[in-house]
Amino acid sequence: MLCQVQQPLNLICLLAIIQIIGLSLFARGFFPYKVYLSGFANVTSVPSWPDVTTETITRPTLIEPEFDQLVFIVVDALRNDFVLGPDSGFGFVKSQIELGHALPYTARATAPTVTMPRIKALTTGTVPSFLDAILNIAESDTSSSLQHHDNWVQQFRQTGNRTIHFFGDDTWIRLFPNTFTKFDGTTSFYVSDTVQVDLNVTRHIQPVFAEQDWDAIILHYLGLDHVGHLGGPYSPLMKPKQKEMDQAVEKIYEIVAQQDAERIKRDADAKGTLIILCGDHGMNEAGNHGGSSIGETSAALVFLSPRFESRPIINNNINSKFNFEFSEDDTRIFGFPVIDQIDVVPTLASLFSFPIPKNSLGKVIPELLQRNNHGPPIQLLRALQLNAHQLGQLLCRMLPDLVYYLDNPTQALSDTSISNPMGQLYSRAIMDHGKFLSSSDPIIAEKAAKAYLEFIYEAQSQLARTASDYKLTDMAIGTCLMTISAVIFIYRVFFFSDKLSSLWWSTKIVMLGMLIAYFISLFASSFIEEEHFIWYYFISTLFLLLALQSFKIPNKNLMQQTWLSILCILQLILMRITIAWDGGIKLMITEEIKWHLLAISLLTPLLWLICMMWRSSGRINIQATSGGAGYIITICKVMLILIMTLTSSLIFLYKIRSEQPSQQDEETIPGLYRYFMSQLEFANHLDQVALGKLIYNYCGSGLFVLTALVYVMKRASVLDMEGHEHQQQEATKTQHYLDTLLCMITPTLILFTRSHYAPLFIIYTVQLYLLRKWHGALPLSSLSPSGSGYHAGSGESTRIIAFLILCMIHAAFFMTGHSNSIAAIDLSNAYIGVTGYDTILIGALTFCSNWSTSIWWCIAGWILVADGQGSWWEYATTHSAMFSAILVVLSVAVTILREHLFIWTVFSPKYLYQMAWTCLFHWCIQIMFGTLSMRFYRVLRKQYSVVVSDE
């Protein structure tokens, strides 16, 4: 019944609403918050010492603290090689490591490697939900607060009523509201700022540390991450930024060392200060993060303290009676151990004597808990016991029998009525621990430590493997709703289409086969990671097939058919160039050539616009009834050219400024362009933000003038037709201004694209020209001679163009270095003309900057539909059917593979991208703006066969 709706727009809107509701339900079920144990751990829930019944010596309830003050320094995106590598800029930190005064590690982070999930991991010891990667971009979001989730920040604060100050990334303030006594937050997403964002943190060091009214200070620096986003890990700004961070650490170390010495003189019970330098995640070779590559998951972690200078455990490797391998994983990077990032949480709990947060999956770092190589490992064994008991409580949700072993380890071991390997392992560790406390035998201590660690590793492994708490009901209902929408779209495409012609049947079968192959690929993680090859293969195969099909087009002689085939072959050549651009061609382009290509890229749409304005001037024949409109049209065209010239010039200036910030770098710019920059006096005094805003103003002015031009053309056309009602009408001609719209938008899309990808727009323009030539030669609506067997209806041609554009928009997306990884999201052009952070605005700019080439081909598709006699609704419905089918198949795939090893590193990011493709690209850009553009920027003009002579 739905397919009988008279208006296609009503049907598409109805199905779009059904699909979005289904997608929302599915996302709610697939990306839920993890269910954690409620409440906060406290000292009453910790286990007693194993020899509590016989020991007469009074021991602390938890453990004797090693330190009483903490400085926790997070340097965003601090990759391990930035500190531990041979080319590190952290000179002071490396000197402390070489002297044995610091303990360095590579801390493994898990995907998604973005700030909010990693802060949660560093403070709660849990593996955060993938939904946190989405909430990470929402500066105003408070739903992910850790105010009611157990974490070391709250535990540290509540133990002894301690005072914590914070300065840096305001994500911490949102996660821990009403926690910090003194705080000053900075916006984490304004990536254009690499200087002030760190100075706002460093300026607090001297005055805040000097007051000595703190027990812990947390600092979170963002500048290094911003440098990575803008220029990658090998940016000229990276090494100076590392040195700046190193100087900040050295300054803090010197202040703390002096204060600790004074405190210990005044109070013999003072413990000293621990300094932790760590990264929340790393970055890949492009400077981005969010995925699971080695660079993104390898963060630096260094423990420093003035106390370490006199500790034998760090200064040397003296053999002791108590010695065993602490880790099952002997992997070493740069010669230093590798641990899990979440191990920081139980380690801090042990070092500062507060309960381990309830939901922590981390394990203590033993090296930090041995006060002296020659002393008994009492503290270490107690820390391991607390760690094992805390993980055992979590494991009880999976193994209920384990509760008996945790509460009564000695009795449970001798009870033959139950058998639990994990419980027996814990009980044996407790018994050996108790024997050591009675005998101080290092062999028994080693045995107990190994048993504890074996239990901890196994418990951690089992807990880490547990799946998220999916809401399968929501996922099933959502999938059903999306399936209903997709089925109706597909039904309308296949059963409301023209009869299958012998001309296009093979093409349509190949297209259907390609879609089925793509659907199958969504069930394989490797194909999702390498999806770009699929679209490259599809588009190349399709052009080759069309080249062969060109020889079957009726009403064309052999020469004409050969020419159409050559057009498709040329497309193949251009496709090969665009595919190879990101992989190798851009690497061969020098700085000077890059600026020449950028200038040509901006000049191409301007020349295209001038040609169109010139050619349309000869075609317009406004009669006397609308003679005044002719002058208005001419003025509008001149204004369009002037506005676009100025816009392109300002964009070129912005690109030069943003990529060559220093005076020394300007020497690499050709003299012609330096002269050009000097002539734009009105823009030279503007900063980058003001210049970006000015560009937006001119772009808006250009679209306004274009809209005015089309309105005048429509009005003049109506007057022209009313003045010739007595004449015989021969035909109706459709004249559209979508190509003018594309010309006006292209410079803005280049602005949103990295400069070395700008030449792709030149190639795309040539491809569109060739495609229009080929498409214009097809017999779109006419029937072939009877008996020929051909019936090339406009609907078939429209669907072929729809599939061709589907391939082009996806291929263009991957051609600019993007992938299905969150790390591929480029933020470098998302802050053009923006002074602060706004979730909706930055989100829109991020989408436009990452999908710029796809948006270009989307508008190109509108042009191809408007050029021919195909129906816009046929085109829109075909695209809706394909996007809907892809979404349904992917939803089924992630549901079936929800227990897959790569569900959060491969399939979940792909689903997020598909949500953006469907909701933002397809429904917002392609359907909503496409429908408005097709309705407004087309002008119907009547052609007449009888012309009245002059009176």
Side-chain angles (χ1 to χ4, degrees):
M1 297 299 293
L2 286 173
C3 293
Q4 297 177 3
V5 177
Q6 295 298 317
Q7 292 293 332
L9 178 60
N10 296 338
L11 174 64
I12 290 179
C13 289
L14 176 61
L15 296 180
I17 293 173
I18 293 175
Q19 185 181 101
I20 292 174
I21 292 175
L23 180 59
S24 301
L25 284 172
F26 186 91
R28 189 177 73 171
F30 185 62
F31 297 111
Y33 277 116
K34 289 182 179 289
V35 177
Y36 299 111
L37 294 179
S38 60
F40 290 79
N42 54 68
V43 293
T44 61
S45 62
V46 301
S48 59
W49 289 76
D51 63 339
V52 66
T53 58
T54 60
E55 182 60 56
T56 57
I57 300 175
T58 302
R59 296 196 183 100
T61 305
L62 287 171
I63 190 172
E64 183 70 24
E66 290 275 349
F67 303 95
D68 55 9
Q69 286 189 337
L70 172 67
V71 180
F72 197 82
I73 307 170
V74 180
V75 178
D76 213 286
L78 185 64
R79 204 166 69 181
N80 58 347
D81 61 314
F82 293 166
V83 177
L84 309 179
D87 196 33
S88 169
F90 284 82
F92 170 76
V93 176
K94 287 202 72 174
S95 68
Q96 293 296 303
I97 295 172
E98 292 168 358
L99 291 171
H101 298 166
L103 278 175
Y105 298 92
T106 290
R108 285 178 302 215
T110 56
T113 48
V114 290
T115 298
M116 180 183 286
R118 299 325 312 155
I119 293 177
K120 284 189 172 183
L122 279 168
T123 55
T124 65
T126 62
V127 178
S129 166
F130 203 87
L131 184 60
D132 291 316
I134 306 172
L135 298 176
N136 186 66
I137 67 170
E139 286 284 304
S140 59
D141 173 70
T142 57
S143 62
S144 57
S145 168
L146 295 178
Q147 190 173 11
H148 304 294
H149 291 190
D150 203 356
N151 58 83
W152 72 256
V153 177
Q154 298 288 1
Q155 290 286 358
F156 184 95
R157 179 170 175 263
Q158 293 170 6
T159 304
N161 194 26
R162 290 165 168 160
T163 300
I164 306 177
H165 300 334
F166 171 78
F167 306 98
D169 184 356
D170 59 4
T171 302
W172 288 78
I173 300 174
R174 289 186 283 120
L175 289 176
F176 303 100
N178 305 318
T179 299
F180 307 117
T181 306
K182 295 179 181 178
F183 58 89
D184 183 14
T186 55
T187 301
S188 59
F189 278 90
Y190 192 53
V191 298
S192 298
D193 178 14
T194 63
V195 179
Q196 195 61 42
V197 71
D198 284 342
L199 294 179
N200 285 339
V201 179
T202 302
R203 66 187 176 92
H204 292 287
I205 292 178
Q206 189 64 45
V208 172
F209 276 78
E211 292 182 8
Q212 300 189 46
D213 60 346
W214 53 274
D215 295 293
I217 295 179
I218 302 174
L219 308 174
H220 191 140
Y221 285 94
L222 293 164
L224 188 139
D225 175 66
H226 293 182
V227 169
H229 282 299
L230 293 174
Y234 308 110
S235 165
L237 300 176
M238 182 59 73
K239 195 68 171 290
K241 178 57 67 175
Q242 293 176 12
K243 292 180 179 179
E244 178 188 344
M245 296 295 96
D246 184 66
Q247 291 170 1
V249 174
E250 183 178 10
K251 185 176 182 181
I252 292 171
Y253 188 92
E254 291 173 351
I255 295 174
V256 164
Q258 181 179 356
Q259 291 179 351
D260 280 0
E262 294 174 355
R263 285 196 304 120
I264 292 174
K265 284 182 180 180
R266 294 194 306 266
D267 182 5
D269 294 330
K271 302 292 185 180
T273 303
L274 176 66
I275 302 173
I276 297 179
L277 170 67
C278 66
D280 54 346
H281 50 73
M283 65 174 65
N284 58 22
E285 293 305 294
N288 298 320
H289 53 86
S292 56
S293 68
I294 293 178
E296 296 165 83
T297 58
S298 300
L301 174 63
V302 182
F303 294 86
L304 307 96
S305 175
R307 287 193 60 193
F308 288 169
E309 296 182 12
S310 59
R311 287 185 55 183
I313 179 75
I314 297 175
N315 278 333
N316 48 63
N317 235 347
I318 302 174
N319 292 326
S320 70
K321 297 179 181 179
F322 180 72
N323 184 27
F324 69 101
E325 291 294 330
F326 291 122
S327 175
E328 290 185 344
D329 185 0
D330 58 356
T331 303
R332 301 179 78 85
I333 300 178
F334 299 111
F336 303 110
V338 179
I339 63 171
D340 292 322
Q341 198 177 55
I342 55 178
D343 294 347
V344 170
V345 176
T347 302
L348 282 176
S350 300
L351 293 175
F352 287 90
S353 187
F354 57 77
I356 300 174
K358 278 188 174 183
N359 298 287
S360 170
L361 299 181
K363 53 186 178 294
V364 295
I365 305 173
E367 293 88 347
L368 284 161
L369 293 163
Q370 286 202 266
R371 289 183 166 185
N372 193 311
N373 270 346
H374 300 288
I378 296 176
Q379 296 292 103
L380 173 59
L381 288 178
R382 177 58 174 170
L384 291 174
Q385 180 196 2
L386 296 175
N387 194 186
H389 186 270
Q390 176 265 324
L391 288 173
Q393 289 181 314
L394 276 178
L395 201 58
C396 286
R397 294 182 297 177
M398 301 170 55
L399 305 173
D401 292 344
L402 189 60
V403 177
Y404 185 42
Y405 288 91
L406 295 179
D407 295 339
N408 305 283
T410 305
Q411 297 177 14
L413 191 61
S414 60
D415 191 343
T416 57
S417 62
I418 60 172
S419 177
N420 186 305
M422 289 293 293
Q424 292 175 357
L425 185 60
Y426 178 81
S427 295
R428 284 197 300 270
I430 290 291
M431 292 184 65
D432 290 336
H433 188 181
K435 291 178 181 178
F436 164 74
L437 292 176
S438 302
S439 64
S440 298
D441 187 344
I443 297 178
I444 298 178
E446 181 179 340
K447 186 178 178 183
K450 286 184 177 180
Y452 276 134
L453 285 172
E454 186 178 351
F455 177 86
I456 290 171
Y457 284 124
E458 184 60 29
Q460 188 183 46
S461 176
Q462 291 192 30
L463 290 168
R465 287 199 300 265
T466 57
S468 295
D469 297 305
Y470 299 107
K471 298 178 182 178
L472 294 178
T473 302
D474 287 348
M475 293 171 66
I477 295 174
T479 303
C480 290
L481 291 175
M482 291 185 286
T483 302
I484 292 172
S485 175
V487 168
I488 296 175
F489 274 127
I490 294 171
Y491 177 80
R492 186 173 181 83
V493 169
F494 278 94
F495 294 94
F496 282 72
S497 60
D498 297 329
K499 181 180 178 181
L500 185 64
S501 71
S502 58
L503 173 60
W504 300 115
W505 71 269
S506 59
T507 305
K508 294 180 74 173
I509 289 176
V510 171
M511 287 162 45
L512 181 61
M514 289 178 177
L515 284 175
I516 294 175
Y518 180 69
F519 295 157
I520 296 174
S521 73
L522 296 176
F523 289 83
S525 60
S526 298
F527 281 105
I528 290 177
E529 290 178 307
E530 305 295 335
E531 184 181 340
H532 52 287
F533 288 119
I534 297 176
W535 293 110
Y536 297 163
Y537 175 77
F538 283 178
I539 196 68
S540 300
T541 303
L542 191 57
F543 276 129
L544 180 60
L545 180 62
L546 293 177
L548 298 176
Q549 289 288 100
S550 297
F551 289 102
K552 296 183 179 181
I553 296 178
N555 304 324
K556 302 288 183 183
N557 58 39
L558 181 60
M559 185 64 69
Q560 292 172 324
Q561 292 174 340
T562 303
W563 171 243
L564 292 177
S565 181
I566 291 175
L567 293 179
C568 296
I569 299 298
L570 291 175
Q571 291 280 14
L572 283 172
I573 297 173
L574 293 175
M575 276 300 301
R576 184 64 259 175
I577 296 174
T578 55
I579 291 173
W581 193 272
D582 184 56
I585 295 179
K586 75 173 185 180
L587 301 177
M588 300 186 297
I589 297 175
T590 63
E591 281 293 309
E592 183 175 354
I593 296 177
K594 181 181 77 172
W595 297 120
H596 289 311
L597 290 176
L598 177 61
I600 296 173
S601 302
L602 291 168
L603 188 61
T604 300
L606 178 59
L607 295 177
W608 184 9
L609 178 66
I610 294 173
C611 291
M612 285 189 298
M613 295 295 101
W614 178 264
R615 291 173 59 190
S616 63
S617 299
R619 294 198 302 262
I620 298 176
N621 183 21
I622 305 299
Q623 302 297 328
T625 53
S626 56
Y631 298 105
I632 299 177
I633 292 172
T634 302
I635 293 173
C636 287
K637 290 183 177 181
V638 173
M639 289 181 63
L640 274 178
I641 294 173
L642 292 176
I643 290 173
M644 188 168 174
T645 301
L646 190 54
T647 302
S648 299
S649 301
L650 293 177
I651 290 174
F652 188 78
L653 176 62
Y654 186 96
K655 285 290 188 181
I656 289 179
R657 277 192 188 178
S658 61
E659 298 191 25
Q660 306 290 342
S662 66
Q663 190 70 27
Q664 183 178 0
D665 292 334
E666 289 187 4
E667 298 300 323
T668 62
I669 302 174
L672 174 65
Y673 303 131
R674 290 203 299 270
Y675 174 77
F676 165 77
M677 292 169 57
S678 65
Q679 297 304 305
L680 295 174
E681 296 181 0
F682 73 98
N684 286 331
H685 70 280
L686 300 176
D687 59 19
Q688 285 294 84
V689 173
L691 182 58
K693 291 181 178 180
L694 184 61
I695 292 172
Y696 291 151
N697 289 336
Y698 279 116
C699 291
S701 301
L703 292 177
F704 175 80
V705 173
L706 175 59
T707 303
L709 172 63
V710 175
Y711 175 80
V712 174
M713 287 293 299
K714 284 187 174 183
R715 187 60 183 166
S717 179
V718 171
L719 296 175
D720 192 25
M721 287 185 284
E722 289 176 351
H724 296 84
E725 290 180 351
H726 63 282
Q727 297 185 15
Q728 180 181 354
Q729 296 181 4
E730 183 183 73
T732 300
K733 181 182 179 182
T734 301
Q735 179 180 344
H736 67 83
Y737 285 84
L738 292 170
D739 41 8
T740 308
L741 176 66
L742 182 58
C743 286
M744 298 295 298
I745 291 179
T746 298
T748 306
L749 296 178
I750 293 176
L751 173 67
F752 289 141
T753 308
R754 289 185 182 263
S755 296
H756 48 258
Y757 292 121
L760 289 175
F761 289 93
I762 304 175
I763 302 175
Y764 293 160
T765 303
V766 178
Q767 285 186 285
L768 177 59
Y769 174 79
L770 297 177
L771 202 53
R772 295 176 79 174
K773 285 290 184 181
W774 180 85
H775 185 233
L778 298 181
L780 296 176
S781 59
S782 60
L783 294 173
S784 59
S786 59
S788 63
Y790 294 109
H791 178 256
S794 62
E796 287 190 354
S797 174
T798 301
R799 280 186 287 278
I800 292 173
I801 291 298
F803 182 77
L804 185 63
I805 293 299
L806 177 76
C807 294
M808 291 302 299
I809 59 179
H810 282 87
F813 175 79
F814 293 110
M815 286 172 186
T816 50
H818 294 98
S819 67
N820 286 321
S821 169
I822 294 179
I825 298 176
D826 187 2
L827 298 175
S828 60
N829 294 308
Y831 294 83
I832 298 174
V834 179
T835 54
Y837 186 85
D838 179 86
T839 302
I840 296 178
L841 177 59
I842 297 301
L845 290 176
T846 301
F847 172 78
C848 291
S849 63
N850 285 271
W851 270 265
S852 57
T853 51
S854 298
I855 293 173
W856 194 97
W857 273 109
C858 178
I859 302 174
W862 306 346
I863 294 174
L864 291 171
V865 175
D867 280 350
Q869 298 182 24
S871 167
W872 162 249
W873 297 117
E874 189 77 33
Y875 178 85
T877 305
T878 303
H879 264 267
S880 297
M882 291 187 288
F883 273 98
S884 300
I886 292 172
L887 185 63
V888 169
V889 173
L890 184 60
S891 299
V892 173
V894 298
T895 301
I896 295 174
L897 301 172
R898 62 186 182 276
E899 307 293 340
H900 194 280
L901 179 64
F902 299 131
I903 186 64
W904 297 118
T905 56
V906 177
F907 291 99
S908 295
K910 169 60 181 174
Y911 202 84
L912 289 178
Y913 271 101
Q914 197 58 48
M915 290 172 65
W917 275 109
T918 302
C919 298
L920 299 179
F921 183 85
H922 176 65
W923 291 121
C924 293
I925 302 294
Q926 200 167 38
I927 300 301
M928 186 172 70
F929 287 109
T931 300
L932 293 175
S933 299
M934 292 294 290
R935 285 192 169 189
F936 189 81
Y937 290 110
R938 289 197 297 180
V939 181
L940 297 179
R941 300 188 58 77
K942 298 292 183 180
Q943 307 296 319
Y944 304 97
S945 58
V946 179
V947 181
V948 180
S949 59
D950 294 335
E951 297 181 357

